[in-house]
Amino acid sequence: MTRLEIHPYNPKWPLEFEIMAQELTKIWQDELVEIHHIGSTSIPQMAAKPIIDILIVVNSQDKITNHDEAMTKLGFRCRGECLEDLGTKGRFYYSKDTSGIRTHQVHVMELGHPEIQEKINFKNYLIHHPKDAALYQKLKESIIGKVSGIKEYIERKNSLVKELMEKANSWVLKTKFVDPIQLAHLKKYLHVKTAIPKKCDLIFVFGSTNNEAAINAIDLNKITEVPYIILTGGQNKEFIGTEAEMFQNILLQAGIAKEKLLIENESKNSLENVFFSIPKFSDKINWRTIDSIIVVSKEYHSRRALMTLKKHLPHPVKLYSNTYLDMNQIDNDKLWREYQKIPKYIAQGDLATIFSHADNFYF
């Protein structure tokens, strides 16, 4: 039961979040993309209902309810996708009561759901704008004893919340503010790292102007038994020729046999790297017999690279990831754009969600 009481800020609230977040991380594991403390208890010095609000972002909505049993064991009630007329499509809600009093609320949404960023922006805006935070607190305190229940409480706040949400979204766009916790999550999510097998069916190098990709392919060829190396990438304004041909020249100079190199030199993006390569090399490669591929890509691009291959290969394969270009050298704005591309391209049908395997590959 939600008790409608506003309590002074409690410095233990962040710790209560951290304790619960550790338990939730064990439950959601590989599905987990982000986990955040949200709501009023996440805002320092903000008086609030003493309920720890938690936002969980997952890879796919399809598997959310698979975790209901584990959430129930942790003491949560599984409320489903929508909570009566206060719910939001695509937001799954879990509540936990202690001695009949609500203590925790968990909101689970798929990566790309618009409400995710709204909740994070709202929190950060109020943290950085104490006058508006005070205004919001004053409203809550003024209505808390005058409403009949949680529904009316939310409705009475709604006008100011919408106003503050608009301010929050504008502030984030103008300042390009990135939540440091969210930045850490997205870096971890974007960079897919695996061990490299001693034997593999194929090395697939995604197009790039960075010759580190070719150097990585040379190193892989020394430690991995592999029949073919696919080099991709078309014309680029930064140099004469194609990205794939640049890679080819470097590998040939390193003594790798020309017959081992398969060149796809017309593509302009990651999707085309894959989409053009599969039919082009079907005379040399029986794609349905391919069991494993080592994928060479930039750190921040590695998840999307694997997701692109998984979507367009004719059957599931073991995907290993070899990366270059330290993500910490990349501008945060560029990392954020890469992160946003993934749900967009999934919706377009260009990517498939990948999952890690205990044997250190993705599929």
Side-chain angles (χ1 to χ4, degrees):
M1 180 184 74
T2 302
R3 179 183 289 177
L4 289 178
E5 294 179 348
I6 299 292
H7 290 208
Y9 179 76
N10 188 336
K12 292 183 180 179
W13 286 337
L15 178 60
E16 291 177 19
F17 161 74
E18 292 294 342
I19 292 170
M20 183 56 70
Q22 290 179 17
E23 296 301 315
L24 293 170
T25 299
K26 293 175 187 176
I27 290 174
W28 295 88
Q29 296 182 24
D30 288 341
E31 277 294 297
L32 184 70
V33 179
E34 301 178 42
I35 186 166
H36 296 276
H37 187 189
I38 59 170
S40 294
T41 59
S42 70
I43 302 168
Q45 309 312 315
M46 170 76 75
K49 300 192 306 299
I51 301 171
I52 306 302
D53 265 306
I54 300 173
L55 169 64
I56 290 178
V57 182
V58 294
N59 271 310
S60 172
Q61 178 176 306
D62 297 340
K63 294 190 175 185
I64 290 177
T65 56
N66 292 356
H67 300 81
D68 284 0
E69 183 178 351
M71 290 294 284
T72 300
K73 288 180 180 178
L74 190 58
F76 282 89
R77 178 185 171 195
C78 307
R79 311 290 287 274
E81 184 173 5
C82 291
L83 179 61
E84 300 169 348
D85 57 343
L86 298 178
T88 302
K89 185 173 177 58
R91 176 178 67 87
F92 290 74
Y93 178 69
Y94 300 83
S95 60
K96 179 180 174 67
D97 293 358
T98 301
S99 300
I101 303 299
R102 183 69 36 82
T103 58
H104 297 78
Q105 298 178 151
V106 176
H107 313 266
V108 183
M109 287 174 270
E110 183 180 80
L111 178 66
H113 193 293
E115 197 171 302
I116 294 169
Q117 213 51 48
E118 288 181 351
K119 290 182 179 297
I120 295 172
N121 290 353
F122 188 79
K123 164 189 171 177
N124 284 312
Y125 177 79
L126 292 183
I127 288 174
H128 288 84
H129 296 82
K131 288 184 179 180
D132 277 344
L135 180 65
Y136 182 50
Q137 176 175 313
K138 184 178 180 180
L139 173 66
K140 293 192 298 179
E141 290 173 333
S142 69
I143 64 175
I144 195 70
K146 303 175 183 177
V147 295
S148 57
I150 187 64
K151 182 179 178 182
E152 185 182 354
Y153 175 73
I154 292 172
E155 289 173 348
R156 294 276 292 271
K157 292 193 306 174
N158 196 41
S159 178
L160 180 59
V161 168
K162 284 184 176 180
E163 179 185 333
L164 294 175
M165 186 69 72
E166 288 176 4
K167 285 185 175 183
N169 292 335
S170 297
W171 171 71
V172 168
L173 284 173
K174 183 178 179 180
T175 64
K176 295 186 178 180
F177 177 85
V178 177
D179 183 297
I181 295 173
Q182 190 172 32
L183 179 62
H185 280 307
L186 75 85
K187 283 184 175 182
K188 184 178 180 181
Y189 176 73
L190 292 176
H191 185 196
V192 177
K193 186 177 182 180
T194 71
I196 299 300
K198 293 182 179 179
K199 187 176 181 180
C200 195
D201 294 325
L202 188 67
I203 294 174
F204 191 103
V205 182
F206 274 82
S208 171
T209 59
N210 192 319
N211 64 12
E212 287 184 62
I215 295 169
N216 279 30
I218 293 169
D219 292 340
L220 288 169
N221 187 66
K222 294 175 182 176
I223 63 173
T224 303
E225 184 182 338
V226 60
Y228 292 112
I229 302 174
I230 293 181
L231 307 173
T232 69
Q235 293 283 344
N236 196 292
K237 296 177 182 179
E238 295 190 21
F239 50 79
I240 298 173
T242 67
E243 294 170 351
E245 289 162 346
M246 175 191 71
F247 295 156
Q248 181 187 36
N249 290 335
I250 296 171
L251 268 65
L252 289 173
Q253 290 172 19
I256 296 177
K258 188 174 182 179
E259 296 74 24
K260 195 172 189 175
L261 307 180
L262 303 182
I263 310 303
E264 183 291 298
N265 59 2
E266 297 180 356
S267 57
K268 297 184 174 104
N269 54 54
S270 300
L271 177 61
E272 291 183 355
N273 290 162
V274 174
F275 205 66
F276 291 176
S277 294
I278 292 174
K280 182 168 185 175
F281 305 125
S282 59
D283 59 329
K284 295 182 179 293
I285 299 172
N286 181 350
W287 289 100
R288 293 195 174 276
T289 65
I290 293 292
D291 177 66
S292 56
I293 300 175
I294 299 173
V295 182
V296 179
S297 63
K298 300 182 185 77
E299 275 191 5
Y300 75 91
H301 178 241
S302 53
R303 179 169 292 272
R304 183 157 60 93
L306 268 63
M307 293 174 81
T308 305
L309 269 169
K310 179 181 177 180
K311 178 66 180 180
H312 298 285
L313 289 170
H315 73 105
V317 303
K318 299 172 185 174
L319 297 171
Y320 297 90
S321 180
N322 176 267
T323 61
Y324 60 95
L325 187 60
D326 187 343
M327 191 183 299
N328 292 317
Q329 298 177 27
I330 306 301
D331 178 78
N332 287 345
D333 192 48
K334 190 170 187 177
L335 295 178
W336 182 244
R337 291 197 302 271
E338 174 68 17
Y339 188 59
Q340 290 178 312
K341 285 177 183 177
I342 290 178
K344 176 184 176 182
Y345 291 167
I346 288 175
Q348 291 176 186
D350 296 334
L351 305 179
T353 302
I354 56 173
F355 302 96
S356 64
H357 191 276
D359 291 336
N360 211 346
F361 63 82
Y362 281 72
F363 64 99

